[in-house]
Amino acid sequence: MKKLWILAIVLFCGLMILGCGDSNAAQTASAETPIPTETPVLTEAPVPDETPAPTEPLREEISLTWARAFRISTLPEGVITPDEIAFYEVDADKNEHIVNVPKTEVLAYRPDQLPRTQSLDRYIPDNLKSLTVTLDYALAHGYSRFSIPTTEFTYADILGVHQMLNRIYYIDGNGIGSLDVQSFETETGETLTYVLVTINGIPDARCVQYYLEGVAAAQAIVDTVPEGSTEFQTALYLYRYLADNVEYDYNDYYENGKQLLLYDALVKRKTVCAGYSEALYYLYNLAGIDCMYIAGYVSDPIPRGSHIWNVARIDGQYYQFDPTWDAGLLPSEYEYFAVSDDYMLENHTQNVETLSQEYAPVCPESLFPQIRVDNWESRQVICICYYYRFLSERESAPFDIVRFFGANTEQFVQTDTEDGWVVTDLEYSLFRNLLSKLMQTAEINRFCEGYYADRDGMLAFRKPTAQPIGWRLCGITENADGSLLAEAYRIDETGASQRVLHLFRFSGEKIDSVTEQQEGTPRIR
């Protein structure tokens, strides 16, 4: 019996040990998500700290010294902040100056009339619009470089439209250049880059001063356009200014590497095709006539070299212009004023460069009837050409005829009379002797009638009452009897033209008579 009690006690203890083991395992499993046995104490949520993290730069830490911004160690001490644009200039004594201008002031700059085309702005991406405004501001104030802190673009963006910028800002030398100087991460996580922009490159910072003198000269010329002039009259007036006053430089113009095209054209009044084109570009745009320049190769009929000329809009229509090749001519003789693409391609260029083809507008027709004359070497053809030149001058500037024969009209005294004539101190017989080089006596009499007269042995001429463009010779046909039939147009001051046929008969190499034929009815002029 005693043994049975001992066995019962041992079994009971074994069961107790097994029960305790299961309980410990359960407690271990539930330890990962303990159930709280007390009510938690509630506290206020912490207020976020608005102070920027110490690893992000503060605004004063993303400023840049002038020396660093312009990469010129000799600049005076100064700082440019993200809210400013720093401009660099060199005075006449070659002293360097930096001017900080609030960015808001620069980007609000809107002049009444920009001295450049705005038609090409469509090729500039939106993120560079602030750059073009800053360039306008810089050039207007004579700054050759500037440092602009911006999150909108880098030098790579400028490089992408470098060629187009140089067509918009038609300035001598190397054009618009740029360089990323230093970048910072802003508080908002954007990248702020200080971009150094140079105008005409680094070598000659004074170029912008010459540019400003050239623009001032252009503005002074534009200011002389007669009040009330139409857009056509304004375009012709300014084109004629270049043709009459600027001389082509036949020397090695590019030899010294100092080409100040606009300055040379309008101040020195001697340049090459690039100078003529640049001058017309600024004259027209300052006058409110949209103008741009294009480049290509001259044909004669084979390519002779690169050339630059213009495209401009008159009364809503685009035309091509080349003041270089019309220099020294009268308006009635211009071959490249307001002409079509086809005419220019046939008579002027072998091809147009790819970039110019991209933006140049279509010029479908010529404004004036075009000159098409063969056999320019013929003595009789030359006489006819000068005859129409004299007709044009007789109506617009009567005394200028003597210039053709080498006389300086400024050395003669000219006195106005009450009857609307001007008396000179040039002997009348000498004037007729000059005309006799082209015409026989009978034609000289007809030519002078009503326009020139003998006043006590001195030449007198009738003062012009209007400023017509004159007579434009467009074609010459030889007849079987040796006479020459000339097709000409008389163009008035509005640009309107009237077609007239003139029959020229010669005695030897001089004009014997000129008969006007109109609507099939010949009549003596």
Side-chain angles (χ1 to χ4, degrees):
M1 187 69 176
K2 182 176 181 181
K3 292 181 179 179
L4 291 173
W5 277 106
I6 295 172
L7 179 60
I9 293 171
V10 170
L11 289 174
F12 177 79
C13 291
L15 290 174
M16 291 296 295
I17 293 172
L18 289 174
C20 289
D22 292 341
S23 177
N24 289 338
Q27 290 180 9
T28 301
S30 62
E32 296 178 0
T33 55
I35 299 175
T37 58
E38 296 181 354
T39 302
V41 178
L42 299 178
T43 60
E44 293 185 2
V47 178
D49 186 3
E50 297 181 357
T51 304
T55 56
E56 296 184 355
L58 299 176
R59 176 160 294 273
E60 58 267 20
E61 293 176 341
I62 59 176
S63 300
L64 213 61
T65 65
W66 289 344
R68 174 65 178 162
F70 289 95
R71 298 173 63 88
I72 302 175
S73 60
T74 57
L75 289 179
E77 292 185 4
V79 171
I80 171 177
T81 70
D83 299 322
E84 299 172 312
I85 300 176
F87 294 91
Y88 171 96
E89 65 178 344
V90 178
D91 62 25
D93 297 323
K94 297 185 177 181
N95 296 317
E96 298 172 314
H97 303 278
I98 304 297
V99 179
N100 283 4
V101 181
K103 190 178 291 186
T104 53
E105 177 182 332
V106 175
L107 299 184
Y109 178 69
R110 297 292 187 276
D112 294 334
Q113 186 65 50
L114 284 170
R116 65 169 181 87
T117 180
Q118 297 182 61
S119 294
L120 300 184
D121 286 359
R122 66 183 184 274
Y123 294 98
I124 305 302
D126 290 340
N127 66 313
L128 288 177
K129 297 303 183 183
S130 60
L131 173 68
T132 58
V133 174
T134 307
L135 283 167
D136 292 335
Y137 184 94
L139 289 169
H141 294 81
Y143 301 128
S144 61
R145 310 172 198 172
F146 57 86
S147 178
I148 176 171
T150 178
T151 59
E152 297 178 335
F153 59 84
T154 66
Y155 94 99
D157 298 303
I158 300 176
L159 186 62
V161 292
H162 170 77
Q163 288 183 305
M164 195 60 70
L165 283 172
N166 290 341
R167 297 301 166 98
I168 297 173
Y169 298 95
Y170 192 178
I171 302 170
D172 317 317
N174 301 318
I176 308 300
S178 62
L179 176 70
D180 289 349
V181 174
Q182 191 165 342
S183 298
F184 299 90
E185 184 179 350
T186 67
E187 301 167 0
T188 59
E190 295 180 295
T191 300
L192 180 87
T193 302
Y194 283 80
V195 182
L196 172 61
V197 179
T198 63
I199 301 171
N200 195 54
I202 297 294
D204 186 7
R206 282 281 295 156
C207 76
V208 175
Q209 299 302 321
Y210 289 112
Y211 159 83
L212 286 178
E213 290 185 50
V215 171
Q219 185 63 64
I221 296 166
V222 170
D223 290 342
T224 65
V225 175
E227 187 176 355
S229 295
T230 64
E231 194 166 67
F232 160 76
Q233 292 169 332
T234 300
L236 181 63
Y237 178 93
L238 297 174
Y239 190 90
R240 183 173 187 176
Y241 180 91
L242 294 180
D244 290 349
N245 295 284
V246 181
E247 179 184 355
Y248 191 88
D249 189 347
Y250 288 96
N251 297 319
D252 192 353
Y253 181 76
Y254 291 99
E255 182 178 8
N256 61 11
K258 293 285 187 179
Q259 297 82 43
L260 302 165
L261 302 175
L262 179 64
Y263 179 86
D264 290 343
L266 299 184
V267 179
K268 292 185 176 180
R269 299 190 179 184
K270 192 171 186 178
T271 187
V272 293
C273 64
Y276 279 98
S277 175
E278 184 170 339
L280 191 68
Y281 175 86
Y282 283 100
L283 288 171
Y284 274 9
N285 281 299
L286 283 170
I289 298 173
D290 185 46
C291 179
M292 59 199 78
Y293 81 96
I294 55 179
Y297 295 91
V298 177
S299 60
D300 195 28
I302 60 175
R304 292 191 298 168
S306 59
H307 188 57
I308 299 177
W309 63 103
N310 301 84
V311 171
R313 183 177 59 217
I314 299 178
D315 297 327
Q317 177 66 56
Y318 279 101
Y319 303 93
Q320 296 200 35
F321 300 78
D322 190 344
T324 304
W325 282 25
D326 279 336
L329 301 179
L330 294 176
S332 57
E333 300 169 330
Y334 292 159
E335 294 189 63
Y336 301 103
F337 174 85
V339 300
S340 68
D341 292 335
D342 290 342
Y343 179 86
M344 190 67 82
L345 183 62
E346 179 182 348
N347 297 277
H348 188 284
T349 59
Q350 185 72 11
N351 56 48
V352 177
E353 65 164 12
T354 303
L355 180 62
S356 295
Q357 291 178 359
E358 180 180 342
Y359 65 78
V362 176
C363 305
E365 59 184 22
S366 297
L367 184 62
F368 290 160
Q370 293 309 302
I371 300 173
R372 300 181 185 277
V373 178
D374 297 325
N375 195 17
W376 283 107
E377 294 78 13
S378 166
R379 171 67 181 176
Q380 293 180 341
V381 170
I382 293 175
C383 284
I384 293 176
C385 292
Y386 281 112
Y387 181 86
Y388 282 107
R389 183 184 183 96
F390 290 173
L391 282 182
S392 299
E393 290 181 331
R394 186 182 69 174
E395 296 181 0
S396 59
F399 199 42
D400 283 354
I401 287 180
V402 301
R403 291 184 179 180
F404 166 71
F405 300 100
N408 180 5
T409 57
E410 295 180 359
Q411 68 185 8
F412 296 99
V413 177
Q414 302 181 36
T415 305
D416 292 351
T417 63
E418 294 182 355
D419 59 356
W421 286 66
V422 178
V423 179
T424 73
D425 58 350
L426 173 66
E427 293 182 12
Y428 183 68
S429 60
L430 292 178
F431 177 72
R432 289 183 62 92
N433 184 56
L434 295 176
L435 295 180
S436 69
K437 298 180 183 299
L438 298 178
M439 314 173 204
Q440 299 290 356
T441 300
E443 184 57 32
I444 292 176
N445 292 337
R446 285 192 291 267
F447 180 85
C448 292
E449 184 179 358
Y451 292 92
Y452 297 95
D454 182 346
R455 296 284 179 94
D456 298 327
M458 297 293 121
L459 171 67
F461 58 84
R462 190 178 65 184
K463 185 183 298 185
T465 57
Q467 290 294 321
I469 297 171
W471 289 86
R472 184 175 180 83
L473 172 63
C474 292
I476 297 177
T477 304
E478 185 175 359
N479 297 319
D481 61 358
S483 62
L484 297 178
L485 184 65
E487 177 188 11
Y489 290 79
R490 187 184 184 280
I491 305 173
D492 64 22
E493 61 274 10
T494 68
S497 59
Q498 178 185 7
R499 180 174 179 266
V500 179
L501 298 178
H502 286 137
L503 183 66
F504 287 81
R505 297 188 181 277
F506 286 81
S507 176
E509 294 184 338
K510 296 183 180 180
I511 299 171
D512 188 55
S513 65
V514 182
T515 305
E516 182 177 313
Q517 298 181 338
Q518 192 171 24
E519 297 180 355
T521 304
R523 61 186 176 88
I524 299 296
R525 184 180 39 77

